[in-house]
């Protein structure tokens, strides 16, 4: 019993070291000899797994790099002249896909699914209001409306980022759009 208490005391003493900040060290017999200096103490981290850079998504790619990537040979070799979402196929159980796509593909800076959405799987595809070539791939050329996430396969997070980027691009004038023409009956406003 005394040995258990003593081992707890040593463990607590090694974690909390008040003598570091005080000028007078407390009177202890044998306790500091069991503790290692802080430089030698190993910190055990459960999240210290093998780091795979292919699934790491914590690096931020600037929009200028993404714009250059869309004009590069590597992009044309990967996607051709089609939009990035054409070759993507969602994984789901059964014959009918669920109504909504997943909430996000990236959790804690790591791709958490085996089949990420078209934007999450390629780190150089950045949804930014200046990246007009990428944004136009998600806009219908006939109606000018944004394609649904059920058609493009984007996760909910990236689809929301897409909507924000498209609205911002329209506000800044990077994407042109037609304002619907309205006919007014001016006889209601002017007396003849």
């Amino acid at each position: 019993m005394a040995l258990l208490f003593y081992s707890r005391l040593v463990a607590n003493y090694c974690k909390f070291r008040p003598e570091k900040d005080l000028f007078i060290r407390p009177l202890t017999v044998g306790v500091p000899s069991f503790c290692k200096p802080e430089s030698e103490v190993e910190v055990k981290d459960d999240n210290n797994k093998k780091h795979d850079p292919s699934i790491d998504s914590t690096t931020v790619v600037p929009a200028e790099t993404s714009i250059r990537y869309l004009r590069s040979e590597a992009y044309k070799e990967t996607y051709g002249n089609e939009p990035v979402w054409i070759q993507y196929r969602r994984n789901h159980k059964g014959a009918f896909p669920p109504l909504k796509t997943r909430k996000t593909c990236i959790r804690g800076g790591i791709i958490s699914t085996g089949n990420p959405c078209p934007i999450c799987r390629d780190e150089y595809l950045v949804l930014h209001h200046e990246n007009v070539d990428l944004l136009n791939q998600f806009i219908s050329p006939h109606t000018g409306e944004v394609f649904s996430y059920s058609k493009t396969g984007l996760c909910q997070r990236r689809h929301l980022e897409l909507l924000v980027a498209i609205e911002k691009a329209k506000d800044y004038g990077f994407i042109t759009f037609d304002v619907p023409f309205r006919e007014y009956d001016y006889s209601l406003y002017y007396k003849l």
Side-chain angles (χ1 to χ4, degrees):
M1 182 71 177
L3 183 61
L4 180 65
F5 175 76
Y6 188 72
S7 63
R8 285 184 188 166
L9 178 68
V10 170
N12 289 337
Y13 183 80
C14 290
K15 290 179 188 173
F16 178 70
R17 298 182 60 162
E19 73 273 9
K20 221 168 83 174
D21 300 322
L22 298 175
F23 293 107
I24 302 171
R25 294 186 79 179
L27 179 63
T28 55
V29 179
V31 175
S33 63
F34 290 108
C35 298
K36 296 179 182 177
E38 289 183 6
S39 60
E40 297 178 14
V41 174
E42 295 178 9
V43 178
K44 292 184 180 179
D45 188 13
D46 295 335
N47 297 331
N48 198 3
K49 299 175 184 174
K50 296 273 185 179
H51 179 71
D52 187 8
S54 65
I55 60 172
D56 183 24
S57 298
T58 55
T59 57
V60 178
V61 178
E64 293 81 18
T65 306
S66 179
I67 293 169
R68 281 195 316 248
Y69 172 67
L70 286 172
R71 296 181 184 137
S72 70
E73 289 297 322
Y75 174 81
K76 289 181 179 137
E77 184 180 323
T78 306
Y79 298 104
N81 293 328
E82 297 178 340
V84 295
W85 53 270
I86 290 289
Q87 298 174 359
Y88 178 75
R89 185 184 179 283
R90 287 174 60 193
N91 285 345
H92 54 81
K93 288 191 270 184
F96 301 107
L99 296 177
K100 286 191 168 187
T101 56
R102 65 176 62 92
K103 288 186 180 179
T104 183
C105 300
I106 299 172
R107 291 183 175 89
I110 297 174
I111 296 175
S112 63
T113 179
N115 188 20
C117 74
I119 299 295
C120 293
R121 70 180 170 188
D122 195 344
E123 64 180 332
Y124 291 107
L125 296 177
V126 177
L127 294 171
H128 193 266
H129 64 273
E130 294 177 359
N131 199 352
V132 180
D133 294 334
L134 180 62
L135 297 180
N136 280 332
Q137 294 180 9
F138 294 94
I139 299 174
S140 172
H142 306 291
T143 62
E145 294 179 359
V146 180
F147 288 124
S148 171
Y149 51 79
S150 60
K151 183 171 186 171
T152 60
L154 292 180
C155 61
Q156 298 292 313
R157 172 186 275 172
R158 296 298 181 192
H159 186 71
L160 183 61
E161 287 179 16
L162 174 74
L163 294 177
V164 169
I166 288 175
E167 286 300 318
K168 210 171 184 182
K170 286 180 180 178
D171 287 344
Y172 283 124
F174 293 123
I175 294 178
T176 58
F177 60 97
D178 295 329
V179 179
F181 181 74
R182 294 183 183 230
E183 292 186 23
Y184 292 101
D185 186 11
Y186 291 106
S187 64
L188 298 173
Y189 299 102
Y190 299 111
K191 293 183 180 180
L192 296 173

